[in-house]
Amino acid sequence: MKARQNPLNKFESFMQRMIERPFARLFPSRLEPVELQRHLERAMEDNTLLQGEGRRLAPNVYDIYLSIKDHQQFTPTQAMLVRDWQNHLVEFARHRRYTLRTMPVIRLHAASDLGVSDVRIETETADGQAGGAMATQALSAEQLAQIRAALPQGQQLPGISSAPSNPPASGSNPNFPQQPSASPAPQVAQPPMPQAWLTIRLPQANQQIYRIEKPIVNIGRQLSNDIIVEDKRVSRYHAQIKFQNGHFSIFDLGSTNGITINGTPHMRQHMLRNGDYFTIGSYDFYFERR
């Protein structure tokens, strides 16, 4: 269910964006986590849904779209930042007396149509009983206590599975149960990245070999890409090869023409196998791995 926007807050946010954007384009700077936090606050305020007795239901799903460069900047610390932003939105909703159905779900996306420091946030008010990410998201005891405190008295949280916790120790705050004393489960080590390379056939030129030596390889017309494709039909940030869970995959980044993979045009993603080939613009790529 999409949240109905508050008209007054929507107008105030529009005027603020009209003032901020020209300065951001004239004086581009590094996008900081606190700025995204303010964008999330504004998105929550702008998209509350008016309920009975003057209460407001805040959206609980936030899709943040960033430029490719900004998205790459936040990727290494994304999990930690998302937890901080979730907890902040819970406190923000409590302070504003908004209702939240579940712990906020925050997702980061790369968008090729956005410039550096540009941010677009799409919100949704999802039913926790509908399943999917909302129903299966595990919350810590502290997060669960925070979200319960933000709800009106007597209202229950639908569809949330909480992390197990021990009974609170004598004299402790009952709203914040103690965390389990058992040591956390060991993290599963990621498999090492195998040797892989691309044989690139350029128009009217000899072929080149590009060795894939990092988990993310960007392909596009912009000079900041790892592989630069000099073709006007190619987007500035066109595609991305990622190594995850032992496999290489190629993703289209919202380009106009997509990727032709093994002869199939306009594909948006594909798990690469030894011997696969794909075309971006006038460049042909042949993938090999050991």
Side-chain angles (χ1 to χ4, degrees):
M1 179 177 67
K2 293 289 183 181
R4 186 173 58 206
Q5 293 184 331
N6 182 335
L8 180 58
N9 287 340
K10 183 180 177 182
F11 175 75
E12 290 176 349
S13 296
F14 171 77
M15 293 303 296
Q16 187 170 0
R17 288 193 296 268
M18 291 294 291
I19 295 171
E20 290 176 350
R21 282 179 177 174
F23 284 96
R25 290 195 176 103
L26 284 173
F27 308 103
S29 60
R30 178 187 176 95
L31 186 63
E32 298 294 339
V34 68
E35 296 177 64
L36 276 180
Q37 183 172 290
R38 288 197 293 267
H39 281 286
L40 286 166
E41 291 176 357
R42 195 180 305 158
M44 176 179 279
E45 285 189 317
D46 289 352
N47 295 282
T48 55
L49 180 66
L50 185 62
Q51 295 184 305
E53 301 178 357
R55 294 181 311 207
R56 289 196 171 275
L57 177 65
N60 53 357
V61 179
Y62 297 80
D63 286 294
I64 306 174
Y65 294 87
L66 307 170
S67 70
I68 304 294
K69 185 174 182 179
D70 288 330
H71 185 267
Q72 291 174 337
Q73 169 193 328
F74 289 117
T75 296
T77 56
Q78 178 175 329
M80 180 184 67
L81 289 172
V82 165
R83 285 195 298 270
D84 290 343
W85 291 331
Q86 284 177 320
N87 291 330
H88 178 78
L89 283 181
V90 168
E91 292 298 327
F92 186 79
R94 178 190 297 171
H95 193 67
R96 293 290 196 279
R97 299 185 182 277
Y98 295 154
T99 300
L100 275 169
R101 283 180 173 169
T102 63
M103 194 72 176
V105 172
I106 300 173
R107 301 179 290 223
L108 295 181
H109 309 275
S112 59
D113 62 326
L114 293 179
V116 174
S117 296
D118 286 343
V119 179
R120 182 173 74 246
I121 299 181
E122 296 178 2
T123 65
E124 186 178 350
T125 305
D127 187 347
Q129 294 177 332
M134 300 304 302
T136 59
Q137 184 181 21
L139 306 179
S140 70
E142 182 176 350
Q143 288 173 328
L144 191 60
Q146 288 177 330
I147 192 67
R148 280 177 173 154
L151 294 172
Q153 186 174 5
Q155 183 172 338
Q156 298 296 317
L157 284 171
I160 292 186
S161 59
S162 61
S165 60
N166 292 334
S170 177
S172 64
N173 187 341
N175 290 326
F176 293 88
Q178 298 296 313
Q179 296 294 319
S181 58
S183 58
Q187 294 184 347
V188 178
Q190 289 293 327
M193 192 167 68
Q195 292 184 0
W197 61 94
L198 296 169
T199 301
I200 309 172
R201 293 181 181 175
L202 290 69
Q204 300 177 348
N206 295 327
Q207 66 184 23
Q208 297 181 2
I209 303 295
Y210 179 88
R211 297 196 177 276
I212 301 175
E213 297 177 339
K214 58 181 184 176
I216 297 177
V217 174
N218 292 302
I219 306 172
R221 202 174 72 247
Q222 187 74 16
L223 297 179
S224 57
N225 285 287
D226 300 294
I227 300 175
I228 302 167
V229 179
E230 298 178 355
D231 190 320
K232 292 182 179 180
R233 295 171 296 174
V234 174
S235 300
R236 292 185 304 157
Y237 299 98
H238 195 103
Q240 188 175 80
I241 295 176
K242 297 181 73 172
F243 178 75
Q244 50 191 4
N245 301 323
H247 300 283
F248 290 93
S249 298
I250 186 167
F251 299 89
D252 179 82
L253 296 177
S255 69
T256 302
N257 298 313
I259 312 167
T260 297
I261 303 176
N262 296 330
T264 303
H266 307 297
M267 293 191 67
R268 297 298 176 182
Q269 68 180 66
H270 175 75
M271 182 182 293
L272 292 169
R273 297 175 177 84
N274 193 41
D276 280 351
Y277 61 93
F278 58 93
T279 301
I280 296 177
S282 55
Y283 285 35
D284 296 322
F285 299 80
Y286 182 77
F287 174 78
E288 296 178 87
R289 62 168 290 179
R290 289 182 181 173

